[in-house]
Amino acid sequence: GQNIDQPTEMTATEGAIVQINCTYQTSGFNGLFWYQQHAGEAPTFLSYNVLDGLEEKGRFSSFLSRSKGYSYLLLKELQMKDSASYLCAVRDSNYQLIWGAGTKLIIKP
Amino acid sequence: IAGITQAPTSQILAAGRRMTLRCTQDMRHNAMYWYRQDLGLGLRLIHYSNTAGTTGKGEVPDGYSVSRANTDDFPLTLASAVPSQTSVYFCASSERGATDTQYFGPGTRLTVL
């Protein structure tokens, strides 16, 4: 079966750095997405990786290793508004998105 | 710029009733999707449409139907609602199809009693 694993919850301090990991086992791979979802709101697109390596976008970076079936989202200079759930999704061989359950990130002052 | 709108925002429904969740996008995106999101689970695809006039089944299609008469609208119908369909429903769209990034509507919170 297809599986996406992420930690259920993480806590970090304002101003710090946090890394949210995602491991996957899917039938085929056509890219990995990270979305941010604030409580009661829609998921919003953060990043996309299809090749190995690091993609940087401001305070957020996303890394992919296809051989290890692994990705992480790195958030720097954490702000209170970064408190949200972070969803990892993999596009499989049928070009359908397989979603992880999400990681709830709690930022403390 | 509205993007994707969904209606209603929330609904409480008696079991056995028929319900249509509405989704409209103004981005002229070709592909549209319906997901449900349940606590502790990832988003699960219900139905999708790669272009107007075509639809396909996702991971959890049973009990749901869709239509895509035009580019902008993609309604989701529950023919006879059951309590297990209590969930948050998200509509999404992507510009050209499955190879593109998906953008989400604000969601409909549905409770079936």
Side-chain angles (χ1 to χ4, degrees):
Chain A
Q2 308 203 89
N3 196 48
I4 310 285
D5 285 319
Q6 313 177 227
T8 302
E9 187 174 296
M10 299 181 70
T11 302
T13 304
E14 189 177 15
I17 299 172
V18 71
Q19 178 176 310
I20 302 174
N21 296 325
C22 171
T23 58
Y24 62 89
Q25 290 178 306
T26 56
S27 57
F29 178 85
N30 285 296
L32 185 144
F33 294 82
W34 285 97
Y35 280 75
Q36 180 189 59
Q37 186 177 25
H38 286 101
E41 297 183 7
T44 56
F45 170 72
L46 285 178
S47 69
Y48 171 67
N49 295 72
V50 67
L51 299 176
D52 289 351
L54 189 68
E55 293 281 343
E56 297 186 81
K57 194 183 291 186
R59 293 189 299 114
F60 293 8
S61 303
S62 56
F63 172 83
L64 174 67
S65 169
R66 289 172 296 171
S67 63
K68 295 183 179 178
Y70 168 69
S71 172
Y72 67 74
L73 181 69
L74 191 72
L75 291 75
K76 303 176 184 176
E77 301 169 13
L78 286 169
Q79 302 175 11
M80 298 303 293
K81 68 178 182 179
D82 297 329
S83 291
S85 289
Y86 292 85
L87 313 181
C88 174
V90 172
R91 192 156 56 196
D92 69 8
S93 57
N94 293 319
Y95 284 87
Q96 289 197 353
L97 285 181
I98 310 301
W99 294 82
T103 299
K104 182 178 181 180
L105 178 63
I106 299 168
I107 309 296
K108 295 186 174 180
Chain B
I1 299 174
I4 301 178
T5 57
Q6 293 185 233
T9 302
S10 64
Q11 182 75 44
I12 299 174
L13 189 67
R17 296 298 295 269
R18 180 184 180 89
M19 175 75 191
T20 295
L21 308 184
R22 300 184 299 279
C23 174
T24 300
Q25 53 105 357
D26 64 0
M27 299 177 286
R28 307 303 292 172
H29 282 182
N30 280 326
M32 298 186 75
Y33 313 85
W34 274 106
Y35 290 93
R36 60 178 290 172
Q37 186 175 42
D38 302 291
L39 199 62
L41 298 177
L43 288 160
R44 291 182 292 171
L45 183 65
I46 304 170
H47 285 286
Y48 65 93
S49 169
N50 287 329
T51 189
T54 70
T55 62
K57 293 182 179 180
E59 180 186 355
V60 289
D62 294 345
Y64 305 96
S65 64
V66 292
S67 62
R68 186 88 184 277
N70 57 61
T71 297
D72 299 344
D73 301 299
F74 191 43
L76 176 74
T77 297
L78 289 68
S80 178
V82 295
S84 61
Q85 292 178 312
T86 294
S87 187
V88 180
Y89 291 86
F90 287 103
C91 179
S93 71
S94 61
E95 185 174 357
R96 286 165 296 187
T99 57
D100 287 339
T101 300
Q102 294 182 17
Y103 298 93
F104 286 78
T108 293
R109 183 173 296 274
L110 181 67
T111 302
V112 182
L113 300 176

